[in-house]
Amino acid sequence: MHRLLERQLKRVLGLDAGQWPRLADKLRDWADQVADEDAELARGLFGLPQLLERVSESYAQQDRDLTLVRRSLELSSTELSTANERLRQEAKAMSQALATLQWTFDALRQDAEGEGEARSDDLVTMAGQIVTLTREQERIREALVKSEERFELAMRGANDGLWDYDLTSGKVYYSPRWKDMIGHAPDDIGDSLDEWASRVHPEDKAGALAAVQAHLQGETPHMEATFRFRHRDGHYLWILSRGLAVRDAAGQALRMVGTHTDISQRMELEHYLSQFKRALDEHAIVSITDVRGNITYANQRFCDISGYTREELLGQNHRLLKSGMHDAAMYEDLWSTISQGRTWVGELCNRAKDGQHYWVLATISPVLGNDGLPEQYIAIRADISRIKDAEKALLKAKEAAENANRAKSEFLANMSHEIRTPMNGVLGMLSLALDTHLTPEQREYLGLARTSADSLLHVINDILDFSKIEAGRMDIHEEPVRLRELVDELARLNGPRCREKGLEFSAEVDPELPEWLMLDPVRVRQVLVNLLGNAVKFTTTGEIRLTVRRLGFGMRFAVRDTGIGIPREKQAHVFESFTQADGSITRRFGGTGLGLSISNQLVRLMGGIMGVESEPGQGSEFHFLLPICEPKPAAKPEGAGAIVVTPERRRLHILLAEDNPINQKLAVSLLSREGHQVDVVGDGEAALAATDAGRYDLVLMDMQMPVLDGVAATRAIRAREPAGVHLPIVALTANAYEDDRDACLDAGMDGFISKPFKRAELMAAIDHALGQAATAHPAGPGGSATT
Ligand code: ADP
């Protein structure tokens, strides 16, 4: 039951709420009891409890309604205050927005028109203007985006990265290419300046920042800095950064926009180039000129060597260095070479500032332009002054050496004369003595003396030949020779010697070989005599064979023996000077060790080669190959060949011009035995007088004589001779040089014989000279012979 009803029941009826149910039951009972009596009363009694319940319910409903009303009232009040607050806030925001709008509008208008217009407070007008301005701004932004896109594209095309530094916000835009350049994806890198600063090489940062600062402060028209910039993988790139500040009307920098160019390759190239340049500059004198020769570059070495400073050289014409040491033709050649686009190389003498001359080896190359014509010339020069000095010194030394060599040759000529003259006497007198009546003992002694003298002569001849070859004074005189006669002569000489030693000897000439050959008979004979001499010397049993065979275009001379042979390891050395296969052999066999060396060199001088094949204990074969050269038909002499042997001789009236009394005696004695009549004079002048006075068939003329020497005397005789008359003159000389022989023949002599000579050689030389003179001068003095 509702509490209000309870209280009212209590107050009105004095009933407690707890008593009510019992009373209600009683009422219902009473109603039942009186139903019949009084129906209305009964209904009243019965309905009263129900009424009270309804009243209680109504009270409860009222309570509920009241709560609801209260609560709704409460709610309305909160909402109201919230709405109030919101409205207040909105009003504030509205007023702020209005202020911002006004500011934006002002700013936009200023941007658009530059000059500020009268401020409009009319919101509608302002809104309209804002719409217009916003559209304009939109259009501008679009244009800017397009332009930036184009710029970015251009940058990408140039492969450059782009950066845009907003100085007011401190933010930096880095383009994708900027990031890609250092190995980053577009989203990798933020927009702070630190992204740049943290990647610059510590050593380069200060320089780069200084460049930025200088430009921001208006000190430079644009910013340019080169620095190392770290790539994502840690290595550094070389970056060239260029930028330009965007300034407001007051000149204050607002932004700075610029590019990053990767110049690592260029820097690497520059590095190499600078290294090359350094290397070149360190070692060479380098200059560059324009096409007129005006100096545009000079390196330090050029300054050092010329004594000029760089400032003094630049702009000057290269002819400043002309020394006057070269003729105009050389400069013409230089200029015509380089102006035609070719490189000129040559030695130049230049003049330094102090007047000193210096030598350079110059390489001057043109640098060609697109049209193929020279634009400038690069000269690279090496200082060769020291080489030139050394060259001069060498030249002097060479002259000194040549003088010394001449002196040596003269000494050899003198020595030859000094030794050969007494040797002539010794050998000649020994032969004369051996032709007289002697006791067997005397004959033996004199025979031994002659053998010794022969060996001595052999040694002297070897040493002289060797010296002549060394001095380059050994000449080869080729003449038509009958090879078979030469070989026969050697056979006649060696056959008896071999037989004496119990050896067999044979000589053979290939019938395929021409009869006449161009050879130096003296030298071929000398080589063969030496080879045959060795063969006989080193062979005790068996045989010695001399053969000449045709081998293609050459002829192969070979001397084969069955002697002791030469060990294989020694064979290559036997042609060296003073070399002998075995020291002990030297003692057993004697010799100077020069024979094969001389032979080998003579063969070479004759255009051939020499070799050896040998088996120790079996024997050796020395051989040499000479080219076959046939004489022209006209060159073949009528006579018998190399040595003219006339079996029957005429008795001649001979003038002997000789100053040495022993040699006079020897010659007179030899010639008298042949039945010739001999007059003797002691010098050239006397010879001249004698030939003037008497008629002689022949003159034997010594070359070295007091008063007038043999050559001068011969010239004088020839000068006085009437036409068609020719007195045969044979030179007697102790000198062993070919040029002596040439001098004799030049002076007009007909023959030449070297001392010491043997009787047969002397007679052969006389016969030869008479033959020559007769062929050349048929109307000669032959008729005066005393038959
Ligand atoms: P030498 O005058 O001393 O003989 P050579 O130059 O003629 O000088 O010879 C040099 C050396 O070569 C000789 O000493 C000898 O040892 C060796 N030789 C030369 N010819 C023969 C040969 N036919 N048989 C063996 N050995 C030889």
Side-chain angles (χ1 to χ4, degrees):
M1 182 175 287
H2 193 271
R3 269 179 283 147
L4 182 61
L5 187 64
E6 278 177 2
R7 276 199 305 273
Q8 285 169 341
L9 280 175
K10 180 115 180 165
R11 215 178 313 134
V12 175
L13 299 175
L15 276 176
D16 287 333
Q19 291 174 300
W20 178 251
R22 196 172 60 85
L23 186 62
D25 285 344
K26 262 185 185 170
L27 285 171
R28 273 184 222 113
D29 283 345
W30 285 342
D32 280 344
Q33 285 167 14
V34 292
D36 297 334
E37 297 156 19
D38 191 343
E40 280 183 358
L41 181 63
R43 271 201 307 275
L45 285 173
F46 193 78
L48 203 61
Q50 269 185 332
L51 180 71
L52 280 176
E53 265 172 40
R54 298 255 168 103
V55 169
S56 174
E57 247 173 57
S58 297
Y59 278 144
Q61 184 59 43
Q62 200 182 15
D63 277 358
R64 279 201 297 275
D65 288 349
L66 266 173
T67 311
L68 270 172
V69 166
R70 198 166 52 246
R71 279 192 57 197
S72 72
L73 271 175
E74 275 169 14
L75 272 170
S76 304
S77 138
T78 317
E79 268 170 19
L80 200 66
S81 64
T82 310
N84 250 348
E85 180 58 24
R86 204 177 62 229
L87 277 173
R88 209 168 49 77
Q89 292 289 345
E90 274 173 5
K92 194 176 160 197
M94 286 279 278
S95 97
Q96 272 181 353
L98 203 63
T100 312
L101 266 175
Q102 183 67 49
W103 183 86
T104 312
F105 173 68
D106 286 351
L108 285 170
R109 205 171 44 186
Q110 224 171 31
D111 272 4
E113 295 158 21
E115 292 283 309
E117 236 178 37
R119 185 188 172 104
S120 170
D121 288 333
D122 173 359
L123 260 180
V124 177
T125 316
M126 196 167 80
Q129 286 176 334
I130 283 177
V131 168
T132 316
L133 286 171
T134 312
R135 278 196 191 134
E136 180 62 10
Q137 284 289 86
E138 191 61 30
R139 197 186 57 73
I140 292 171
R141 205 172 53 245
E142 271 172 21
L144 197 69
V145 166
K146 274 209 179 105
S147 149
E148 275 183 0
E149 272 173 9
R150 274 202 296 273
F151 185 58
E152 180 66 35
L153 269 173
M155 285 298 109
R156 215 174 294 164
N159 220 16
D160 286 350
L162 181 70
W163 52 265
D164 184 350
Y165 179 25
D166 185 339
L167 291 148
T168 46
S169 70
K171 290 193 170 159
V172 192
Y173 162 77
Y174 301 110
S175 75
R177 172 63 197 138
W178 188 98
K179 296 171 187 171
D180 178 51
M181 205 178 272
I182 50 171
H184 284 283
D187 303 335
D188 268 8
I189 286 182
D191 58 3
S192 76
L193 185 64
D194 196 46
E195 297 283 6
W196 173 82
S198 63
R199 288 178 169 83
V200 181
H201 194 286
E203 287 170 15
D204 303 339
K205 195 188 269 176
L209 289 173
V212 172
Q213 208 56 37
H215 178 58
L216 288 178
Q217 284 166 6
E219 291 165 13
T220 50
H222 58 264
M223 191 286 293
E224 190 168 309
T226 304
F227 46 82
R228 281 162 287 176
F229 205 53
R230 203 179 59 250
H231 190 272
R232 188 181 176 188
D233 64 16
H235 81 277
Y236 279 92
L237 304 172
W238 274 101
I239 296 290
L240 167 67
S241 183
R242 276 182 294 207
L244 206 61
V246 180
R247 298 169 195 274
D248 64 11
Q252 183 64 37
L254 301 172
R255 285 167 65 185
M256 210 168 141
V257 184
T259 54
H260 263 196
T261 311
D262 180 358
I263 54 164
S264 307
Q265 262 191 336
R266 201 180 86 193
M267 290 298 276
E268 201 177 348
L269 271 177
E270 272 177 17
H271 174 70
Y272 284 132
L273 272 179
S274 78
Q275 276 189 332
F276 281 136
K277 188 174 168 298
R278 216 180 63 210
L280 191 64
D281 280 344
E282 263 172 31
H283 293 97
I285 303 154
V286 184
S287 67
I288 301 178
T289 70
D290 62 17
V291 279
R292 285 181 303 282
N294 295 327
I295 301 168
T296 54
Y297 171 81
N299 75 344
Q300 192 52 45
R301 281 180 70 90
F302 187 17
C303 299
D304 292 346
I305 198 163
S306 67
Y308 291 103
T309 64
R310 190 165 285 117
E311 291 68 36
E312 285 172 327
L313 286 171
L314 294 181
Q316 282 285 345
N317 195 282
H318 225 285
R319 76 175 77 90
L320 173 75
L321 303 157
K322 250 184 172 177
S323 61
M325 291 282 285
H326 306 290
D327 54 12
M330 197 217 71
Y331 288 106
E332 269 164 31
D333 171 54
L334 189 163
W335 277 102
S336 88
T337 306
I338 59 175
S339 60
Q340 284 171 39
R342 287 181 284 123
T343 297
W344 184 88
V345 181
E347 291 181 357
L348 285 172
C349 180
N350 283 344
R351 189 175 164 279
K353 190 179 178 183
D354 63 4
Q356 292 272 347
H357 285 179
Y358 62 90
W359 278 90
V360 289
L361 174 66
T363 303
I364 307 177
S365 304
V367 179
L368 304 181
N370 289 337
D371 54 3
L373 295 173
E375 282 183 340
Q376 48 184 2
Y377 299 115
I378 299 179
I380 294 169
R381 284 152 294 174
D383 180 2
I384 53 163
S385 301
R386 271 199 291 184
I387 297 173
K388 280 279 166 190
D389 288 348
E391 235 173 51
K392 262 189 226 159
L394 264 177
L395 215 67
K396 263 195 190 160
K398 184 175 164 255
E399 271 167 25
E402 277 170 359
N403 286 341
N405 205 26
R406 252 194 305 278
K408 179 183 143 193
S409 299
E410 273 158 25
F411 166 75
L412 280 173
N414 285 338
M415 196 178 88
S416 155
H417 178 75
E418 295 307 324
I419 297 172
R420 278 162 182 262
T421 305
M423 279 305 289
N424 197 34
V426 170
L427 280 166
M429 289 307 151
L430 282 171
S431 329
L432 289 181
L434 280 164
D435 280 354
T436 57
H437 291 288
L438 300 167
T439 64
E441 201 179 15
Q442 284 170 330
R443 186 164 295 281
E444 190 196 346
Y445 293 162
L446 284 175
L448 285 173
R450 190 164 69 174
T451 311
S452 300
D454 274 338
S455 320
L456 184 58
L457 185 64
H458 185 75
V459 171
I460 290 166
N461 282 341
D462 271 2
I463 291 174
L464 288 174
D465 277 347
F466 178 71
S467 304
K468 276 199 284 184
I469 292 171
E470 281 274 276
R473 294 186 63 170
M474 177 69 84
D475 295 320
I476 298 298
H477 293 276
E478 285 189 345
E479 57 187 72
V481 170
R482 267 195 175 131
L483 182 64
R484 220 168 302 276
E485 274 181 14
L486 188 84
V487 170
D488 286 349
E489 185 204 333
L490 287 165
R492 276 200 302 277
L493 209 81
N494 281 276
R497 281 178 61 202
C498 286
R499 279 191 291 281
E500 266 173 37
K501 260 191 112 175
L503 301 170
E504 276 179 39
F505 179 84
S506 65
E508 192 190 325
V509 177
D510 193 338
E512 293 274 298
L513 281 165
E515 188 188 355
W516 287 92
L517 287 158
M518 287 302 284
L519 286 176
D520 183 331
V522 177
R523 297 306 165 198
V524 172
R525 189 183 298 114
Q526 183 177 350
V527 174
L528 288 172
V529 164
N530 180 40
L531 296 182
L532 287 165
N534 277 345
V536 175
K537 181 157 77 173
F538 295 108
T539 308
T540 42
T541 55
E543 61 162 354
I544 289 163
R545 273 172 72 79
L546 163 63
T547 54
V548 193
R549 299 211 180 289
R550 186 178 186 124
L551 205 74
F553 294 105
M555 50 191 155
R556 186 179 188 272
F557 292 80
V559 175
R560 175 177 281 281
D561 65 52
T562 51
I564 60 168
I566 305 166
R568 205 162 294 273
E569 69 278 6
K570 299 277 164 72
Q571 287 175 15
H573 302 290
V574 293
F575 297 110
E576 290 166 11
S577 316
F578 305 106
T579 300
Q580 288 162 333
D582 189 341
S584 65
I585 293 174
T586 313
R587 281 192 293 279
R588 195 145 58 98
F589 296 97
T592 57
L594 280 177
L596 285 178
S597 165
I598 293 168
S599 298
N600 185 34
Q601 296 192 62
L602 286 176
V603 167
R604 275 197 208 171
L605 285 173
M606 291 188 283
I609 47 166
M610 190 175 226
V612 62
E613 280 156 35
S614 183
E615 196 62 51
Q618 302 287 309
S620 314
E621 185 192 87
F622 282 85
H623 46 80
F624 60 95
L625 197 66
L626 290 182
I628 292 176
C629 187
E630 286 188 73
K632 291 183 190 111
K636 289 176 196 168
E638 292 293 308
I643 290 172
V644 182
V645 182
T646 324
E648 272 184 55
R649 293 193 182 92
R650 295 181 292 147
R651 294 182 63 204
L652 304 169
H653 189 191
I654 294 174
L655 175 68
L656 171 69
E658 162 71 78
D659 61 325
N660 182 298
I662 300 171
N663 284 338
Q664 281 177 359
K665 193 165 182 163
L666 173 65
V668 170
S669 168
L670 288 175
L671 293 167
S672 307
R673 283 191 192 186
E674 295 293 320
H676 301 310
Q677 182 191 337
V678 187
D679 292 346
V680 179
V681 288
D683 62 68
E685 209 164 82
L688 199 56
T691 51
D692 267 352
R695 295 193 67 199
Y696 292 99
D697 298 310
L698 184 126
V699 181
L700 288 172
M701 182 83 80
D702 188 20
M703 278 189 72
Q704 285 188 329
M705 285 184 293
V707 192
L708 195 66
D709 67 34
V711 171
T714 305
R715 278 190 213 284
I717 291 170
R718 292 284 177 246
R720 292 179 192 187
E721 253 169 7
V725 175
H726 184 88
L727 173 63
I729 304 176
V730 174
L732 293 177
T733 176
N735 292 346
Y737 288 119
E738 300 300 336
D739 35 10
D740 293 328
R741 173 179 148 140
D742 291 345
C744 296
L745 299 179
D746 275 359
M749 295 189 186
D750 304 279
F752 179 99
I753 183 163
S754 288
K755 295 181 210 168
F757 48 78
K758 295 194 172 132
R759 193 173 54 111
E761 286 167 351
L762 177 64
M763 299 315 151
I766 289 171
D767 288 345
H768 184 68
L770 286 173
Q772 286 268 318
T775 344
H777 307 277
S784 72
T786 49
T787 35

